[in-house]
Amino acid sequence: MTDLQRLLKPAALCGWFCIGLTGLGASLASADEIDQDEALALTERGAILPLQSLIADALKRYPGRFLEAELERDDGSYIYELEIVTRDRRVIELEYDAATGALLDVDIDEDD
Protein backbone atom coordinates (compact mmCIF):
# COMPACT_ATOMS: atom_id res chain seq x y z
CA MET A 1 0.00 0.00 0.00
CA THR A 2 1.46 3.37 -1.01
CA ASP A 3 1.66 6.36 1.34
CA LEU A 4 -1.13 8.07 -0.61
CA GLN A 5 -3.37 5.02 -0.29
CA ARG A 6 -2.72 4.89 3.46
CA LEU A 7 -3.56 8.58 3.70
CA LEU A 8 -6.77 8.30 1.67
CA LYS A 9 -8.14 5.07 3.15
CA PRO A 10 -9.50 6.67 6.35
CA ALA A 11 -11.10 9.47 4.34
CA ALA A 12 -12.80 6.96 2.06
CA LEU A 13 -14.09 5.01 5.06
CA CYS A 14 -15.47 8.12 6.73
CA GLY A 15 -17.35 9.09 3.61
CA TRP A 16 -20.08 11.63 3.99
CA PHE A 17 -19.83 11.78 7.78
CA CYS A 18 -16.30 13.17 7.77
CA ILE A 19 -17.02 16.22 5.67
CA GLY A 20 -15.08 18.44 8.03
CA LEU A 21 -17.13 21.60 7.69
CA THR A 22 -15.20 22.98 10.63
CA GLY A 23 -11.99 22.70 8.64
CA LEU A 24 -8.38 21.92 9.32
CA GLY A 25 -7.32 25.38 10.42
CA ALA A 26 -5.79 26.29 7.09
CA SER A 27 -8.26 29.02 6.27
CA LEU A 28 -7.36 32.58 5.44
CA ALA A 29 -7.21 35.08 8.29
CA SER A 30 -10.09 37.08 6.82
CA ALA A 31 -12.34 34.02 6.46
CA ASP A 32 -14.69 32.82 9.18
CA GLU A 33 -15.41 29.11 9.31
CA ILE A 34 -19.07 28.10 9.44
CA ASP A 35 -20.11 25.22 11.69
CA GLN A 36 -22.49 22.45 10.65
CA ASP A 37 -25.53 23.91 12.42
CA GLU A 38 -25.13 27.27 10.73
CA ALA A 39 -24.51 25.59 7.36
CA LEU A 40 -27.76 23.65 7.73
CA ALA A 41 -29.68 26.80 8.66
CA LEU A 42 -28.22 28.69 5.68
CA THR A 43 -29.16 25.84 3.34
CA GLU A 44 -32.70 25.64 4.72
CA ARG A 45 -33.13 29.41 4.23
CA GLY A 46 -31.87 29.13 0.66
CA ALA A 47 -28.90 31.41 1.35
CA ILE A 48 -26.46 28.72 0.13
CA LEU A 49 -26.74 25.70 -2.12
CA PRO A 50 -26.71 22.18 -0.69
CA LEU A 51 -23.20 20.80 -0.45
CA GLN A 52 -24.22 17.65 -2.33
CA SER A 53 -24.87 19.61 -5.53
CA LEU A 54 -21.38 21.11 -5.49
CA ILE A 55 -19.77 17.76 -4.72
CA ALA A 56 -21.58 16.32 -7.76
CA ASP A 57 -20.28 19.18 -9.92
CA ALA A 58 -16.72 18.77 -8.65
CA LEU A 59 -16.74 15.02 -9.31
CA LYS A 60 -18.20 15.56 -12.78
CA ARG A 61 -15.34 17.93 -13.59
CA TYR A 62 -12.66 15.81 -11.91
CA PRO A 63 -13.78 12.18 -11.50
CA GLY A 64 -12.46 10.58 -8.34
CA ARG A 65 -13.32 10.59 -4.63
CA PHE A 66 -14.62 13.34 -2.44
CA LEU A 67 -12.35 13.92 0.60
CA GLU A 68 -13.66 16.88 2.58
CA ALA A 69 -15.36 20.26 2.49
CA GLU A 70 -15.21 23.50 4.42
CA LEU A 71 -17.68 26.36 4.41
CA GLU A 72 -16.35 29.85 5.14
CA ARG A 73 -17.63 33.38 5.10
CA ASP A 74 -15.05 35.54 3.35
CA ASP A 75 -15.62 39.25 2.67
CA GLY A 76 -19.38 38.83 2.96
CA SER A 77 -19.62 35.79 0.68
CA TYR A 78 -20.02 32.14 1.59
CA ILE A 79 -17.35 29.94 0.01
CA TYR A 80 -17.24 26.14 -0.14
CA GLU A 81 -13.77 24.63 -0.37
CA LEU A 82 -13.93 21.03 -1.60
CA GLU A 83 -11.08 18.54 -1.83
CA ILE A 84 -11.16 15.54 -4.10
CA VAL A 85 -8.59 13.01 -5.20
CA THR A 86 -8.74 12.15 -8.88
CA ARG A 87 -8.47 8.71 -10.39
CA ASP A 88 -4.86 9.52 -11.25
CA ARG A 89 -4.24 10.36 -7.56
CA ARG A 90 -3.98 14.14 -7.80
CA VAL A 91 -5.47 16.10 -4.92
CA ILE A 92 -7.60 18.97 -6.17
CA GLU A 93 -9.12 21.81 -4.15
CA LEU A 94 -12.07 23.59 -5.72
CA GLU A 95 -13.59 26.80 -4.39
CA TYR A 96 -17.24 27.53 -5.10
CA ASP A 97 -19.47 30.48 -4.37
CA ALA A 98 -21.88 28.75 -1.99
CA ALA A 99 -24.81 30.99 -2.97
CA THR A 100 -24.54 30.71 -6.76
CA GLY A 101 -22.53 27.53 -7.30
CA ALA A 102 -20.02 29.37 -9.47
CA LEU A 103 -16.60 27.72 -9.56
CA LEU A 104 -14.16 30.37 -8.34
CA ASP A 105 -10.81 28.59 -8.23
CA VAL A 106 -9.15 25.23 -8.84
CA ASP A 107 -5.86 24.27 -7.19
CA ILE A 108 -4.28 21.06 -8.45
CA ASP A 109 -1.55 19.50 -6.30
CA GLU A 110 1.10 18.40 -8.79
CA ASP A 111 3.45 16.89 -6.14
CA ASP A 112 4.19 13.21 -6.66
PDB file of all heavy atoms in Angstrom, residues 30-69:
ATOM      1  N   SER A  30      -8.879  36.287   6.983  1.00  0.00           N
ATOM      2  CA  SER A  30     -10.088  37.081   6.817  1.00  0.00           C
ATOM      3  C   SER A  30     -11.339  36.221   6.684  1.00  0.00           C
ATOM      4  O   SER A  30     -12.433  36.747   6.614  1.00  0.00           O
ATOM      5  CB  SER A  30      -9.961  37.988   5.588  1.00  0.00           C
ATOM      6  OG  SER A  30      -9.857  37.191   4.428  1.00  0.00           O
ATOM      7  N   ALA A  31     -11.203  34.910   6.636  1.00  0.00           N
ATOM      8  CA  ALA A  31     -12.343  34.020   6.464  1.00  0.00           C
ATOM      9  C   ALA A  31     -12.794  33.478   7.815  1.00  0.00           C
ATOM     10  O   ALA A  31     -11.974  33.153   8.665  1.00  0.00           O
ATOM     11  CB  ALA A  31     -11.977  32.890   5.527  1.00  0.00           C
ATOM     12  N   ASP A  32     -14.111  33.391   7.974  1.00  0.00           N
ATOM     13  CA  ASP A  32     -14.693  32.815   9.181  1.00  0.00           C
ATOM     14  C   ASP A  32     -15.292  31.467   8.835  1.00  0.00           C
ATOM     15  O   ASP A  32     -16.111  31.359   7.927  1.00  0.00           O
ATOM     16  CB  ASP A  32     -15.788  33.721   9.736  1.00  0.00           C
ATOM     17  CG  ASP A  32     -15.261  35.063  10.202  1.00  0.00           C
ATOM     18  OD1 ASP A  32     -14.182  35.085  10.826  1.00  0.00           O
ATOM     19  OD2 ASP A  32     -15.929  36.081   9.941  1.00  0.00           O
ATOM     20  N   GLU A  33     -14.881  30.441   9.557  1.00  0.00           N
ATOM     21  CA  GLU A  33     -15.409  29.108   9.311  1.00  0.00           C
ATOM     22  C   GLU A  33     -16.838  29.021   9.831  1.00  0.00           C
ATOM     23  O   GLU A  33     -17.170  29.583  10.869  1.00  0.00           O
ATOM     24  CB  GLU A  33     -14.532  28.060   9.969  1.00  0.00           C
ATOM     25  CG  GLU A  33     -13.167  27.971   9.318  1.00  0.00           C
ATOM     26  CD  GLU A  33     -12.266  26.942   9.957  1.00  0.00           C
ATOM     27  OE1 GLU A  33     -12.733  26.182  10.826  1.00  0.00           O
ATOM     28  OE2 GLU A  33     -11.091  26.892   9.592  1.00  0.00           O
ATOM     29  N   ILE A  34     -17.666  28.288   9.105  1.00  0.00           N
ATOM     30  CA  ILE A  34     -19.067  28.104   9.444  1.00  0.00           C
ATOM     31  C   ILE A  34     -19.237  26.694   9.986  1.00  0.00           C
ATOM     32  O   ILE A  34     -18.792  25.731   9.356  1.00  0.00           O
ATOM     33  CB  ILE A  34     -19.958  28.297   8.190  1.00  0.00           C
ATOM     34  CG1 ILE A  34     -19.686  29.634   7.514  1.00  0.00           C
ATOM     35  CG2 ILE A  34     -21.423  28.112   8.534  1.00  0.00           C
ATOM     36  CD1 ILE A  34     -19.940  30.845   8.351  1.00  0.00           C
ATOM     37  N   ASP A  35     -19.914  26.566  11.138  1.00  0.00           N
ATOM     38  CA  ASP A  35     -20.106  25.224  11.695  1.00  0.00           C
ATOM     39  C   ASP A  35     -21.292  24.540  11.019  1.00  0.00           C
ATOM     40  O   ASP A  35     -22.027  25.136  10.232  1.00  0.00           O
ATOM     41  CB  ASP A  35     -20.252  25.265  13.218  1.00  0.00           C
ATOM     42  CG  ASP A  35     -21.522  25.941  13.703  1.00  0.00           C
ATOM     43  OD1 ASP A  35     -22.521  26.002  12.950  1.00  0.00           O
ATOM     44  OD2 ASP A  35     -21.530  26.406  14.850  1.00  0.00           O
ATOM     45  N   GLN A  36     -21.473  23.262  11.320  1.00  0.00           N
ATOM     46  CA  GLN A  36     -22.489  22.450  10.655  1.00  0.00           C
ATOM     47  C   GLN A  36     -23.899  22.961  10.904  1.00  0.00           C
ATOM     48  O   GLN A  36     -24.735  22.944   9.990  1.00  0.00           O
ATOM     49  CB  GLN A  36     -22.356  20.998  11.098  1.00  0.00           C
ATOM     50  CG  GLN A  36     -21.062  20.378  10.635  1.00  0.00           C
ATOM     51  CD  GLN A  36     -20.840  19.000  11.184  1.00  0.00           C
ATOM     52  OE1 GLN A  36     -21.597  18.507  12.008  1.00  0.00           O
ATOM     53  NE2 GLN A  36     -19.771  18.345  10.738  1.00  0.00           N
ATOM     54  N   ASP A  37     -24.187  23.411  12.119  1.00  0.00           N
ATOM     55  CA  ASP A  37     -25.531  23.907  12.419  1.00  0.00           C
ATOM     56  C   ASP A  37     -25.861  25.152  11.614  1.00  0.00           C
ATOM     57  O   ASP A  37     -26.962  25.280  11.071  1.00  0.00           O
ATOM     58  CB  ASP A  37     -25.674  24.202  13.917  1.00  0.00           C
ATOM     59  CG  ASP A  37     -25.612  22.944  14.762  1.00  0.00           C
ATOM     60  OD1 ASP A  37     -25.980  21.863  14.258  1.00  0.00           O
ATOM     61  OD2 ASP A  37     -25.189  23.043  15.929  1.00  0.00           O
ATOM     62  N   GLU A  38     -24.910  26.064  11.511  1.00  0.00           N
ATOM     63  CA  GLU A  38     -25.132  27.272  10.733  1.00  0.00           C
ATOM     64  C   GLU A  38     -25.243  26.941   9.245  1.00  0.00           C
ATOM     65  O   GLU A  38     -26.074  27.530   8.529  1.00  0.00           O
ATOM     66  CB  GLU A  38     -24.017  28.294  10.962  1.00  0.00           C
ATOM     67  CG  GLU A  38     -24.305  29.629  10.316  1.00  0.00           C
ATOM     68  CD  GLU A  38     -23.260  30.692  10.620  1.00  0.00           C
ATOM     69  OE1 GLU A  38     -22.355  30.465  11.442  1.00  0.00           O
ATOM     70  OE2 GLU A  38     -23.356  31.770  10.013  1.00  0.00           O
ATOM     71  N   ALA A  39     -24.433  25.999   8.766  1.00  0.00           N
ATOM     72  CA  ALA A  39     -24.512  25.593   7.362  1.00  0.00           C
ATOM     73  C   ALA A  39     -25.890  25.017   7.045  1.00  0.00           C
ATOM     74  O   ALA A  39     -26.480  25.330   6.001  1.00  0.00           O
ATOM     75  CB  ALA A  39     -23.417  24.571   7.047  1.00  0.00           C
ATOM     76  N   LEU A  40     -26.423  24.209   7.936  1.00  0.00           N
ATOM     77  CA  LEU A  40     -27.756  23.648   7.735  1.00  0.00           C
ATOM     78  C   LEU A  40     -28.810  24.750   7.695  1.00  0.00           C
ATOM     79  O   LEU A  40     -29.684  24.762   6.823  1.00  0.00           O
ATOM     80  CB  LEU A  40     -28.082  22.635   8.836  1.00  0.00           C
ATOM     81  CG  LEU A  40     -29.462  22.001   8.784  1.00  0.00           C
ATOM     82  CD1 LEU A  40     -29.668  21.261   7.462  1.00  0.00           C
ATOM     83  CD2 LEU A  40     -29.674  21.071   9.964  1.00  0.00           C
ATOM     84  N   ALA A  41     -28.719  25.697   8.627  1.00  0.00           N
ATOM     85  CA  ALA A  41     -29.680  26.802   8.657  1.00  0.00           C
ATOM     86  C   ALA A  41     -29.597  27.642   7.378  1.00  0.00           C
ATOM     87  O   ALA A  41     -30.626  28.035   6.815  1.00  0.00           O
ATOM     88  CB  ALA A  41     -29.436  27.673   9.889  1.00  0.00           C
ATOM     89  N   LEU A  42     -28.396  27.918   6.911  1.00  0.00           N
ATOM     90  CA  LEU A  42     -28.218  28.689   5.676  1.00  0.00           C
ATOM     91  C   LEU A  42     -28.799  27.954   4.470  1.00  0.00           C
ATOM     92  O   LEU A  42     -29.422  28.568   3.595  1.00  0.00           O
ATOM     93  CB  LEU A  42     -26.733  28.986   5.439  1.00  0.00           C
ATOM     94  CG  LEU A  42     -26.090  29.991   6.382  1.00  0.00           C
ATOM     95  CD1 LEU A  42     -24.572  29.924   6.274  1.00  0.00           C
ATOM     96  CD2 LEU A  42     -26.596  31.397   6.088  1.00  0.00           C
ATOM     97  N   THR A  43     -28.615  26.642   4.433  1.00  0.00           N
ATOM     98  CA  THR A  43     -29.157  25.839   3.342  1.00  0.00           C
ATOM     99  C   THR A  43     -30.680  25.835   3.390  1.00  0.00           C
ATOM    100  O   THR A  43     -31.346  26.020   2.368  1.00  0.00           O
ATOM    101  CB  THR A  43     -28.616  24.400   3.401  1.00  0.00           C
ATOM    102  OG1 THR A  43     -27.193  24.430   3.357  1.00  0.00           O
ATOM    103  CG2 THR A  43     -29.124  23.564   2.229  1.00  0.00           C
ATOM    104  N   GLU A  44     -31.242  25.657   4.578  1.00  0.00           N
ATOM    105  CA  GLU A  44     -32.702  25.636   4.720  1.00  0.00           C
ATOM    106  C   GLU A  44     -33.333  26.965   4.344  1.00  0.00           C
ATOM    107  O   GLU A  44     -34.434  27.001   3.807  1.00  0.00           O
ATOM    108  CB  GLU A  44     -33.085  25.233   6.145  1.00  0.00           C
ATOM    109  CG  GLU A  44     -32.803  23.769   6.433  1.00  0.00           C
ATOM    110  CD  GLU A  44     -33.026  23.383   7.878  1.00  0.00           C
ATOM    111  OE1 GLU A  44     -33.130  24.281   8.751  1.00  0.00           O
ATOM    112  OE2 GLU A  44     -33.095  22.168   8.152  1.00  0.00           O
ATOM    113  N   ARG A  45     -32.632  28.071   4.594  1.00  0.00           N
ATOM    114  CA  ARG A  45     -33.131  29.407   4.229  1.00  0.00           C
ATOM    115  C   ARG A  45     -32.926  29.707   2.746  1.00  0.00           C
ATOM    116  O   ARG A  45     -33.438  30.702   2.246  1.00  0.00           O
ATOM    117  CB  ARG A  45     -32.412  30.483   5.045  1.00  0.00           C
ATOM    118  CG  ARG A  45     -32.842  30.572   6.477  1.00  0.00           C
ATOM    119  CD  ARG A  45     -32.428  31.883   7.138  1.00  0.00           C
ATOM    120  NE  ARG A  45     -31.174  32.442   6.721  1.00  0.00           N
ATOM    121  CZ  ARG A  45     -30.057  32.471   7.448  1.00  0.00           C
ATOM    122  NH1 ARG A  45     -30.049  31.947   8.644  1.00  0.00           N
ATOM    123  NH2 ARG A  45     -28.960  33.024   6.977  1.00  0.00           N
ATOM    124  N   GLY A  46     -32.146  28.895   2.071  1.00  0.00           N
ATOM    125  CA  GLY A  46     -31.869  29.131   0.658  1.00  0.00           C
ATOM    126  C   GLY A  46     -30.750  30.124   0.429  1.00  0.00           C
ATOM    127  O   GLY A  46     -30.531  30.564  -0.697  1.00  0.00           O
ATOM    128  N   ALA A  47     -30.010  30.460   1.476  1.00  0.00           N
ATOM    129  CA  ALA A  47     -28.896  31.406   1.345  1.00  0.00           C
ATOM    130  C   ALA A  47     -27.700  30.773   0.645  1.00  0.00           C
ATOM    131  O   ALA A  47     -26.920  31.473  -0.002  1.00  0.00           O
ATOM    132  CB  ALA A  47     -28.481  31.936   2.716  1.00  0.00           C
ATOM    133  N   ILE A  48     -27.541  29.447   0.799  1.00  0.00           N
ATOM    134  CA  ILE A  48     -26.464  28.723   0.127  1.00  0.00           C
ATOM    135  C   ILE A  48     -27.045  27.456  -0.494  1.00  0.00           C
ATOM    136  O   ILE A  48     -28.114  26.986  -0.097  1.00  0.00           O
ATOM    137  CB  ILE A  48     -25.296  28.359   1.077  1.00  0.00           C
ATOM    138  CG1 ILE A  48     -25.751  27.424   2.192  1.00  0.00           C
ATOM    139  CG2 ILE A  48     -24.641  29.620   1.625  1.00  0.00           C
ATOM    140  CD1 ILE A  48     -24.625  26.875   3.048  1.00  0.00           C
ATOM    141  N   LEU A  49     -26.335  26.939  -1.468  1.00  0.00           N
ATOM    142  CA  LEU A  49     -26.736  25.697  -2.122  1.00  0.00           C
ATOM    143  C   LEU A  49     -26.373  24.502  -1.250  1.00  0.00           C
ATOM    144  O   LEU A  49     -25.425  24.561  -0.448  1.00  0.00           O
ATOM    145  CB  LEU A  49     -26.022  25.572  -3.470  1.00  0.00           C
ATOM    146  CG  LEU A  49     -26.377  26.631  -4.500  1.00  0.00           C
ATOM    147  CD1 LEU A  49     -25.441  26.528  -5.707  1.00  0.00           C
ATOM    148  CD2 LEU A  49     -27.819  26.474  -4.938  1.00  0.00           C
ATOM    149  N   PRO A  50     -27.090  23.396  -1.421  1.00  0.00           N
ATOM    150  CA  PRO A  50     -26.711  22.183  -0.689  1.00  0.00           C
ATOM    151  C   PRO A  50     -25.328  21.709  -1.126  1.00  0.00           C
ATOM    152  O   PRO A  50     -24.991  21.737  -2.311  1.00  0.00           O
ATOM    153  CB  PRO A  50     -27.776  21.165  -1.107  1.00  0.00           C
ATOM    154  CG  PRO A  50     -28.895  21.957  -1.684  1.00  0.00           C
ATOM    155  CD  PRO A  50     -28.287  23.218  -2.222  1.00  0.00           C
ATOM    156  N   LEU A  51     -24.556  21.276  -0.178  1.00  0.00           N
ATOM    157  CA  LEU A  51     -23.201  20.801  -0.446  1.00  0.00           C
ATOM    158  C   LEU A  51     -23.189  19.677  -1.477  1.00  0.00           C
ATOM    159  O   LEU A  51     -22.310  19.628  -2.335  1.00  0.00           O
ATOM    160  CB  LEU A  51     -22.543  20.345   0.857  1.00  0.00           C
ATOM    161  CG  LEU A  51     -21.153  19.736   0.759  1.00  0.00           C
ATOM    162  CD1 LEU A  51     -20.171  20.729   0.145  1.00  0.00           C
ATOM    163  CD2 LEU A  51     -20.684  19.286   2.129  1.00  0.00           C
ATOM    164  N   GLN A  52     -24.182  18.798  -1.426  1.00  0.00           N
ATOM    165  CA  GLN A  52     -24.220  17.651  -2.328  1.00  0.00           C
ATOM    166  C   GLN A  52     -24.186  18.078  -3.795  1.00  0.00           C
ATOM    167  O   GLN A  52     -23.557  17.410  -4.628  1.00  0.00           O
ATOM    168  CB  GLN A  52     -25.476  16.802  -2.100  1.00  0.00           C
ATOM    169  CG  GLN A  52     -25.572  16.208  -0.718  1.00  0.00           C
ATOM    170  CD  GLN A  52     -26.299  17.109   0.274  1.00  0.00           C
ATOM    171  OE1 GLN A  52     -26.196  18.336   0.230  1.00  0.00           O
ATOM    172  NE2 GLN A  52     -27.013  16.507   1.199  1.00  0.00           N
ATOM    173  N   SER A  53     -24.849  19.181  -4.128  1.00  0.00           N
ATOM    174  CA  SER A  53     -24.874  19.613  -5.529  1.00  0.00           C
ATOM    175  C   SER A  53     -23.490  20.059  -6.005  1.00  0.00           C
ATOM    176  O   SER A  53     -23.116  19.834  -7.161  1.00  0.00           O
ATOM    177  CB  SER A  53     -25.892  20.733  -5.741  1.00  0.00           C
ATOM    178  OG  SER A  53     -25.529  21.898  -5.028  1.00  0.00           O
ATOM    179  N   LEU A  54     -22.728  20.663  -5.111  1.00  0.00           N
ATOM    180  CA  LEU A  54     -21.385  21.105  -5.487  1.00  0.00           C
ATOM    181  C   LEU A  54     -20.397  19.936  -5.531  1.00  0.00           C
ATOM    182  O   LEU A  54     -19.482  19.923  -6.358  1.00  0.00           O
ATOM    183  CB  LEU A  54     -20.913  22.208  -4.557  1.00  0.00           C
ATOM    184  CG  LEU A  54     -21.825  23.448  -4.606  1.00  0.00           C
ATOM    185  CD1 LEU A  54     -21.387  24.478  -3.604  1.00  0.00           C
ATOM    186  CD2 LEU A  54     -21.890  24.025  -5.995  1.00  0.00           C
ATOM    187  N   ILE A  55     -20.599  18.965  -4.663  1.00  0.00           N
ATOM    188  CA  ILE A  55     -19.772  17.757  -4.721  1.00  0.00           C
ATOM    189  C   ILE A  55     -20.004  17.060  -6.057  1.00  0.00           C
ATOM    190  O   ILE A  55     -19.052  16.643  -6.728  1.00  0.00           O
ATOM    191  CB  ILE A  55     -20.076  16.805  -3.545  1.00  0.00           C
ATOM    192  CG1 ILE A  55     -19.611  17.425  -2.225  1.00  0.00           C
ATOM    193  CG2 ILE A  55     -19.418  15.441  -3.771  1.00  0.00           C
ATOM    194  CD1 ILE A  55     -20.058  16.655  -0.997  1.00  0.00           C
ATOM    195  N   ALA A  56     -21.264  16.960  -6.470  1.00  0.00           N
ATOM    196  CA  ALA A  56     -21.580  16.323  -7.758  1.00  0.00           C
ATOM    197  C   ALA A  56     -20.911  17.067  -8.908  1.00  0.00           C
ATOM    198  O   ALA A  56     -20.345  16.439  -9.821  1.00  0.00           O
ATOM    199  CB  ALA A  56     -23.098  16.268  -7.955  1.00  0.00           C
ATOM    200  N   ASP A  57     -20.926  18.398  -8.873  1.00  0.00           N
ATOM    201  CA  ASP A  57     -20.284  19.183  -9.920  1.00  0.00           C
ATOM    202  C   ASP A  57     -18.773  18.952  -9.924  1.00  0.00           C
ATOM    203  O   ASP A  57     -18.175  18.758 -10.981  1.00  0.00           O
ATOM    204  CB  ASP A  57     -20.584  20.668  -9.738  1.00  0.00           C
ATOM    205  CG  ASP A  57     -19.950  21.500 -10.847  1.00  0.00           C
ATOM    206  OD1 ASP A  57     -20.489  21.492 -11.977  1.00  0.00           O
ATOM    207  OD2 ASP A  57     -18.906  22.134 -10.582  1.00  0.00           O
ATOM    208  N   ALA A  58     -18.169  18.959  -8.748  1.00  0.00           N
ATOM    209  CA  ALA A  58     -16.716  18.765  -8.653  1.00  0.00           C
ATOM    210  C   ALA A  58     -16.312  17.399  -9.194  1.00  0.00           C
ATOM    211  O   ALA A  58     -15.328  17.285  -9.936  1.00  0.00           O
ATOM    212  CB  ALA A  58     -16.259  18.918  -7.202  1.00  0.00           C
ATOM    213  N   LEU A  59     -17.078  16.364  -8.856  1.00  0.00           N
ATOM    214  CA  LEU A  59     -16.743  15.020  -9.309  1.00  0.00           C
ATOM    215  C   LEU A  59     -17.031  14.829 -10.793  1.00  0.00           C
ATOM    216  O   LEU A  59     -16.401  13.999 -11.450  1.00  0.00           O
ATOM    217  CB  LEU A  59     -17.476  13.978  -8.469  1.00  0.00           C
ATOM    218  CG  LEU A  59     -16.995  13.886  -7.026  1.00  0.00           C
ATOM    219  CD1 LEU A  59     -17.883  12.946  -6.221  1.00  0.00           C
ATOM    220  CD2 LEU A  59     -15.543  13.464  -6.946  1.00  0.00           C
ATOM    221  N   LYS A  60     -17.956  15.602 -11.338  1.00  0.00           N
ATOM    222  CA  LYS A  60     -18.204  15.558 -12.780  1.00  0.00           C
ATOM    223  C   LYS A  60     -17.018  16.172 -13.524  1.00  0.00           C
ATOM    224  O   LYS A  60     -16.566  15.679 -14.540  1.00  0.00           O
ATOM    225  CB  LYS A  60     -19.479  16.325 -13.123  1.00  0.00           C
ATOM    226  CG  LYS A  60     -19.903  16.168 -14.576  1.00  0.00           C
ATOM    227  CD  LYS A  60     -21.126  17.005 -14.909  1.00  0.00           C
ATOM    228  CE  LYS A  60     -22.288  16.650 -14.015  1.00  0.00           C
ATOM    229  NZ  LYS A  60     -23.494  17.435 -14.320  1.00  0.00           N
ATOM    230  N   ARG A  61     -16.492  17.266 -12.973  1.00  0.00           N
ATOM    231  CA  ARG A  61     -15.343  17.935 -13.589  1.00  0.00           C
ATOM    232  C   ARG A  61     -14.055  17.130 -13.428  1.00  0.00           C
ATOM    233  O   ARG A  61     -13.212  17.089 -14.328  1.00  0.00           O
ATOM    234  CB  ARG A  61     -15.142  19.313 -12.968  1.00  0.00           C
ATOM    235  CG  ARG A  61     -16.242  20.305 -13.272  1.00  0.00           C
ATOM    236  CD  ARG A  61     -16.040  21.576 -12.438  1.00  0.00           C
ATOM    237  NE  ARG A  61     -17.140  22.483 -12.520  1.00  0.00           N
ATOM    238  CZ  ARG A  61     -17.203  23.524 -13.346  1.00  0.00           C
ATOM    239  NH1 ARG A  61     -16.196  23.770 -14.161  1.00  0.00           N
ATOM    240  NH2 ARG A  61     -18.256  24.309 -13.363  1.00  0.00           N
ATOM    241  N   TYR A  62     -13.878  16.550 -12.255  1.00  0.00           N
ATOM    242  CA  TYR A  62     -12.656  15.810 -11.909  1.00  0.00           C
ATOM    243  C   TYR A  62     -13.063  14.486 -11.259  1.00  0.00           C
ATOM    244  O   TYR A  62     -13.128  14.385 -10.029  1.00  0.00           O
ATOM    245  CB  TYR A  62     -11.774  16.618 -10.947  1.00  0.00           C
ATOM    246  CG  TYR A  62     -11.319  17.933 -11.517  1.00  0.00           C
ATOM    247  CD1 TYR A  62     -12.005  19.113 -11.247  1.00  0.00           C
ATOM    248  CD2 TYR A  62     -10.196  17.988 -12.347  1.00  0.00           C
ATOM    249  CE1 TYR A  62     -11.586  20.329 -11.791  1.00  0.00           C
ATOM    250  CE2 TYR A  62      -9.781  19.200 -12.883  1.00  0.00           C
ATOM    251  CZ  TYR A  62     -10.481  20.353 -12.597  1.00  0.00           C
ATOM    252  OH  TYR A  62     -10.065  21.545 -13.136  1.00  0.00           O
ATOM    253  N   PRO A  63     -13.348  13.458 -12.060  1.00  0.00           N
ATOM    254  CA  PRO A  63     -13.780  12.178 -11.498  1.00  0.00           C
ATOM    255  C   PRO A  63     -12.764  11.638 -10.491  1.00  0.00           C
ATOM    256  O   PRO A  63     -11.561  11.703 -10.702  1.00  0.00           O
ATOM    257  CB  PRO A  63     -13.891  11.271 -12.724  1.00  0.00           C
ATOM    258  CG  PRO A  63     -14.118  12.214 -13.865  1.00  0.00           C
ATOM    259  CD  PRO A  63     -13.310  13.447 -13.522  1.00  0.00           C
ATOM    260  N   GLY A  64     -13.290  11.138  -9.397  1.00  0.00           N
ATOM    261  CA  GLY A  64     -12.457  10.583  -8.342  1.00  0.00           C
ATOM    262  C   GLY A  64     -13.268  10.408  -7.079  1.00  0.00           C
ATOM    263  O   GLY A  64     -14.434  10.019  -7.141  1.00  0.00           O
ATOM    264  N   ARG A  65     -12.660  10.736  -5.937  1.00  0.00           N
ATOM    265  CA  ARG A  65     -13.318  10.588  -4.632  1.00  0.00           C
ATOM    266  C   ARG A  65     -13.340  11.915  -3.899  1.00  0.00           C
ATOM    267  O   ARG A  65     -12.335  12.626  -3.845  1.00  0.00           O
ATOM    268  CB  ARG A  65     -12.568   9.597  -3.752  1.00  0.00           C
ATOM    269  CG  ARG A  65     -12.744   8.204  -4.167  1.00  0.00           C
ATOM    270  CD  ARG A  65     -12.162   7.315  -3.113  1.00  0.00           C
ATOM    271  NE  ARG A  65     -12.183   5.976  -3.640  1.00  0.00           N
ATOM    272  CZ  ARG A  65     -12.014   4.912  -2.925  1.00  0.00           C
ATOM    273  NH1 ARG A  65     -11.769   5.014  -1.645  1.00  0.00           N
ATOM    274  NH2 ARG A  65     -12.071   3.733  -3.479  1.00  0.00           N
ATOM    275  N   PHE A  66     -14.462  12.176  -3.293  1.00  0.00           N
ATOM    276  CA  PHE A  66     -14.616  13.341  -2.439  1.00  0.00           C
ATOM    277  C   PHE A  66     -13.884  13.082  -1.123  1.00  0.00           C
ATOM    278  O   PHE A  66     -14.017  12.014  -0.539  1.00  0.00           O
ATOM    279  CB  PHE A  66     -16.103  13.585  -2.183  1.00  0.00           C
ATOM    280  CG  PHE A  66     -16.376  14.587  -1.118  1.00  0.00           C
ATOM    281  CD1 PHE A  66     -16.142  15.932  -1.336  1.00  0.00           C
ATOM    282  CD2 PHE A  66     -16.865  14.196   0.114  1.00  0.00           C
ATOM    283  CE1 PHE A  66     -16.393  16.870  -0.348  1.00  0.00           C
ATOM    284  CE2 PHE A  66     -17.122  15.119   1.103  1.00  0.00           C
ATOM    285  CZ  PHE A  66     -16.886  16.455   0.875  1.00  0.00           C
ATOM    286  N   LEU A  67     -13.095  14.066  -0.653  1.00  0.00           N
ATOM    287  CA  LEU A  67     -12.355  13.918   0.604  1.00  0.00           C
ATOM    288  C   LEU A  67     -12.971  14.728   1.733  1.00  0.00           C
ATOM    289  O   LEU A  67     -13.258  14.201   2.798  1.00  0.00           O
ATOM    290  CB  LEU A  67     -10.892  14.332   0.422  1.00  0.00           C
ATOM    291  CG  LEU A  67     -10.045  13.502  -0.517  1.00  0.00           C
ATOM    292  CD1 LEU A  67      -8.641  14.083  -0.629  1.00  0.00           C
ATOM    293  CD2 LEU A  67      -9.997  12.063  -0.040  1.00  0.00           C
ATOM    294  N   GLU A  68     -13.136  16.039   1.517  1.00  0.00           N
ATOM    295  CA  GLU A  68     -13.656  16.884   2.582  1.00  0.00           C
ATOM    296  C   GLU A  68     -14.150  18.203   2.019  1.00  0.00           C
ATOM    297  O   GLU A  68     -13.871  18.542   0.866  1.00  0.00           O
ATOM    298  CB  GLU A  68     -12.607  17.156   3.658  1.00  0.00           C
ATOM    299  CG  GLU A  68     -11.502  18.087   3.217  1.00  0.00           C
ATOM    300  CD  GLU A  68     -10.593  18.500   4.358  1.00  0.00           C
ATOM    301  OE1 GLU A  68     -11.008  18.423   5.525  1.00  0.00           O
ATOM    302  OE2 GLU A  68      -9.472  18.899   4.074  1.00  0.00           O
ATOM    303  N   ALA A  69     -14.878  18.934   2.877  1.00  0.00           N
ATOM    304  CA  ALA A  69     -15.360  20.259   2.486  1.00  0.00           C
ATOM    305  C   ALA A  69     -15.315  21.179   3.689  1.00  0.00           C
ATOM    306  O   ALA A  69     -15.420  20.739   4.836  1.00  0.00           O
ATOM    307  CB  ALA A  69     -16.786  20.176   1.958  1.00  0.00           C
TER     308      ALA A  69
END
